[in-house]
């Protein structure tokens, strides 16, 4: 969770996370140093260590920040969503499709790959989110098969795009997104 500063300025924690995210996008998490983050954030190393005593603590906070951003996007979409079948699946797939492509999130995901390969436990919060999402889909979907297929397709497409591996043209992607939307709104014809 981010801690807002009462004067409208970014907190030290936010500055550190912003600087770290920028550096991870540029050089990857494997080459990230606490010294470089402190310098980029305009803080002393002691100031950084006060907030994040280790590199792993910083990486965990970066992952949690990404999770929080996705959750915020998901809740914003939920508030706007029309009632109907497979509401949770519609919100989850739309959220992933909105955030997966390009920009800082893509740079961060690519940059974090090395760190999570070296320390798979960094992904424990992500695993928990995935587990919770699956349980929510199972509990709320009108057509569970359609919801699960749409979610799986969205996760696959998002993963390819987040890591800049997608072989799909814009037309292919549009076709896939429309198929996902049909799945969660109309279900699977038997």
């Amino acid at each position: 969770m981010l801690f807002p500063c009462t004067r409208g300025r970014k907190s030290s924690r936010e500055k550190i996370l912003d600087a770290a995210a920028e550096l991870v996008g540029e050089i990857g998490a494997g080459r990230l140093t606490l010294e470089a983050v402190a310098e980029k954030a305009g803080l002393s190393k002691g100031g950084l260590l006060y907030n994040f005593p280790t590199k792993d603590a910083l990486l965990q906070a970066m992952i949690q920040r990404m999770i929080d951003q996705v959750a915020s996007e998901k809740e914003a979409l939920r508030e706007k969503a029309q009632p109907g079948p497979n509401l949770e699946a519609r919100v989850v797939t739309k959220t992933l499709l909105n955030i997966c492509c390009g920009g800082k999130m893509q740079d961060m995901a690519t940059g974090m790959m090395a760190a999570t390969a070296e320390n798979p436990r960094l992904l424990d919060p992500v695993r928990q989110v995935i587990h919770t999402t699956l349980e929510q889909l199972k509990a709320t979907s009108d057509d569970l098969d359609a919801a699960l297929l749409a979610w799986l397709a969205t996760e696959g497409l998002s993963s390819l795009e987040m890591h800049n591996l997608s072989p799909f043209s814009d037309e292919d992607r549009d076709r896939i997104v429309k198929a996902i939307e049909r799945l969660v709104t109309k279900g699977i014809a038997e």
Side-chain angles (χ1 to χ4, degrees):
M1 171 181 244
L2 298 177
F3 302 101
C5 188
T6 57
R7 293 187 187 148
R9 295 185 324 201
K10 287 185 178 182
S11 69
S12 295
R13 186 174 173 85
E14 285 180 274
K15 288 179 186 177
I16 293 166
L17 290 170
D18 288 346
E22 192 173 325
L23 285 168
V24 164
E26 292 170 7
I27 63 172
R31 294 180 41 210
L32 184 73
T33 66
L34 295 178
E35 293 82 6
V37 174
E39 182 179 328
K40 186 146 195 94
L43 300 169
S44 68
K45 186 172 178 190
L48 183 140
L49 292 172
Y50 176 79
N51 288 282
F52 303 103
T54 66
K55 181 177 172 180
D56 275 356
L58 176 59
L59 294 173
Q60 287 171 336
M62 293 170 69
I63 290 170
Q64 187 60 52
R65 186 185 203 194
M66 289 172 57
I67 289 169
D68 292 345
Q69 289 170 341
V70 171
S72 292
E73 173 77 12
K74 186 173 152 183
E75 289 313 308
L77 287 173
R78 185 185 316 285
E79 290 175 12
K80 297 176 191 173
Q82 297 294 318
N86 297 320
L87 176 63
E88 187 66 21
R90 286 186 286 128
V91 169
V92 167
T93 55
K94 185 73 168 168
T95 300
L96 289 171
L97 291 168
N98 284 354
I99 63 164
C100 70
C101 307
K104 290 182 180 181
M105 190 72 80
Q106 182 179 22
D107 293 342
M108 270 275 294
T110 301
M112 294 294 283
M113 280 177 61
T116 57
E118 290 177 20
N119 183 357
R121 292 186 65 226
L122 289 172
L123 290 176
D124 285 348
V126 177
R127 286 182 187 90
Q128 183 58 49
V129 168
I130 291 169
H131 176 77
T132 300
T133 300
L134 175 59
E135 293 307 312
Q136 288 172 335
L137 290 175
K138 285 180 178 180
T140 63
S141 295
D142 301 305
D143 184 340
L144 183 57
D145 291 343
L148 293 177
L149 283 172
W151 179 51
L152 184 59
T154 305
E155 285 285 356
L157 181 62
S158 297
S159 180
L160 288 171
E161 290 177 348
M162 288 285 266
H163 300 297
N164 204 22
L165 297 171
S166 179
F168 300 115
S169 68
D170 289 343
E171 294 80 22
D172 291 336
R173 185 186 193 280
D174 288 343
R175 187 170 40 259
I176 292 165
V177 169
K178 286 177 184 168
I180 290 168
E181 290 170 353
R182 278 193 311 274
L183 269 173
V184 293
T185 56
K186 297 180 182 174
I188 299 175
E190 295 195 40

